[in-house]
Amino acid sequence: MSAETIQSRREWLLSDRPASRLQARLGRAYVTWRRFSANRLAFVGLLIIIALLVVAALADVLAPYSPTIGDLKNARLLAPSAAHWFGTDDLGRDIHSRIVYGSRWTLYVVILVAVIAAPIGLLVGTIAGYAGGWTDTILMRITDIFLAFPKLVLALAFVAALGPGIENAVLAIAITSWPPYARIARAETLTVRNSDYIKAVQLMGASPFRIVLRHIMPLCISSLIIRVTLDMAGIILTAAGLGFLGLGAQPPLPEWGAMIASGRRFILDQWWVAAAPGAAILIVSLGFNLLGDGLRDALDPRSGDQ
């Protein structure tokens, strides 16, 4: 592709007067990508998350051993080597294979929590912000009750009531994660509900439900995506904490928090048993934080074009 063709396509994307909605959307996406890619740390975070997705998708290929079956007689607590990159645990299981398969459970937790908590927070926040009055008061006081408790403590209470298990842990984390999203959505709704744009839609006869669903919620998506991405690290740490306490994923599932819990007994002599899953949690959490910072800069409507 010639330089002239590339330049003409760039000018087409950056046109101040797009000829179609498709051109306008592609232009906005291109500007957002330019802002994001200019942040090198954010790009590193994106690469970490892509690597996590690849590892989870190809776990059957990348893991040389079974994540649940070990050689207790000949391979117990072996140090890192060419045969076992991250060593083995107290049951003779390859830690590298368990970390690779554990990436699937990490994605399972963060995706389900985001899918459950973000829509709840978006719905509660937009309804409270648009309706106002007693509806706003009741919904926000309920939100304040959830925010009054530390997330991990509240998640522990829910898991203790529901029973240990990865599904109950996901549900408990989702129940405790939606209030910040509701606050963000409400603030965004209060900013735009009296704007000329919304007034025009009201004059056209649109119902409150349609206004909230079609015109206010889309305006809150950018801020919500940023907050959800930044919260991924906290979700991973909360899930790991529940697993560490024995209330999350149950043995023999290769969940990283549970792996740290099983390795804490050998932390002084066989440090790799707990250090390897701890490093995995650190790297993935860092990746989500860097990605969230980059998205915040790229999706901020107040930022000028680069």
Side-chain angles (χ1 to χ4, degrees):
M1 186 178 297
S2 65
E4 292 80 5
T5 303
I6 295 176
Q7 182 63 27
S8 63
R9 291 187 177 181
R10 183 180 294 113
E11 293 176 354
W12 182 80
L13 289 171
L14 298 177
S15 175
D16 294 333
R17 298 181 178 180
S20 64
R21 290 185 179 182
L22 177 61
Q23 183 180 356
R25 291 172 180 171
L26 291 177
R28 287 196 300 268
Y30 177 67
V31 171
T32 300
W33 171 250
R34 286 178 58 184
R35 292 174 183 166
F36 179 83
S37 59
N39 188 333
R40 295 184 178 180
L41 288 178
F43 200 75
V44 171
L46 177 62
L47 293 179
I48 291 175
I49 303 308
I50 291 176
L52 175 66
L53 294 172
V54 172
V55 169
L58 302 179
D60 296 330
V61 178
L62 297 177
Y65 301 95
S66 169
T68 57
I69 301 175
D71 186 356
L72 186 59
K73 180 178 179 181
N74 302 312
R76 183 176 185 271
L77 295 175
L78 296 180
S81 63
H84 302 279
W85 290 359
F86 299 155
T88 60
D89 62 9
D90 57 318
L91 296 178
R93 297 172 297 191
D94 181 62
I95 296 177
H96 169 239
S97 299
R98 288 178 61 78
I99 289 177
V100 169
Y101 276 96
S103 62
R104 291 182 171 179
W105 291 107
T106 298
L107 286 175
Y108 174 81
V109 171
V110 297
I111 291 175
L112 278 186
V113 170
V115 168
I116 296 172
I120 294 175
L122 180 62
L123 183 64
V124 171
T126 51
I127 291 176
Y130 185 76
W134 62 267
T135 303
D136 182 22
T137 301
I138 292 176
L139 291 178
M140 286 302 100
R141 294 301 76 77
I142 294 174
T143 303
D144 291 339
I145 292 174
F146 279 87
L147 290 173
F149 296 92
K151 182 183 294 186
L152 182 57
V153 174
L154 195 58
L156 284 171
F158 279 113
V159 174
L162 297 173
I166 188 68
E167 293 82 8
N168 290 339
V170 169
L171 184 59
I173 297 172
I175 292 174
T176 60
S177 297
W178 67 265
Y181 309 146
R183 282 291 187 183
I184 292 175
R186 177 179 179 269
E188 295 280 351
T189 303
L190 291 175
T191 302
V192 302
R193 72 174 182 177
N194 293 322
S195 63
D196 294 339
Y197 167 70
I198 299 299
K199 294 295 184 183
V201 176
Q202 291 173 343
L203 290 175
M204 294 173 63
S207 65
F209 176 77
R210 181 179 178 84
I211 292 173
V212 170
L213 184 64
R214 296 292 300 274
H215 302 285
I216 293 181
M217 282 188 178
L219 298 176
C220 304
I221 295 297
S222 296
S223 299
L224 205 65
I225 290 175
I226 295 169
R227 181 56 192 261
V228 169
T229 307
L230 289 171
D231 281 354
M232 290 298 184
I235 292 171
I236 293 172
L237 293 176
T238 302
L242 293 176
F244 183 84
L245 296 174
L247 296 174
Q250 299 299 299
L253 292 180
E255 196 273 328
W256 294 344
M259 291 174 63
I260 296 176
S262 65
R264 70 184 187 276
R265 296 173 295 168
F266 316 103
I267 192 66
L268 295 179
D269 298 322
Q270 290 82 25
W271 52 268
W272 57 85
V273 180
I281 293 174
L282 173 63
I283 293 173
V284 173
S285 299
L286 178 63
F288 276 115
N289 280 331
L290 294 177
L291 179 61
D293 287 337
L295 289 176
R296 179 175 55 194
D297 295 338
L299 297 176
D300 187 355
R302 293 165 294 183
S303 299
D305 292 350
Q306 302 294 328

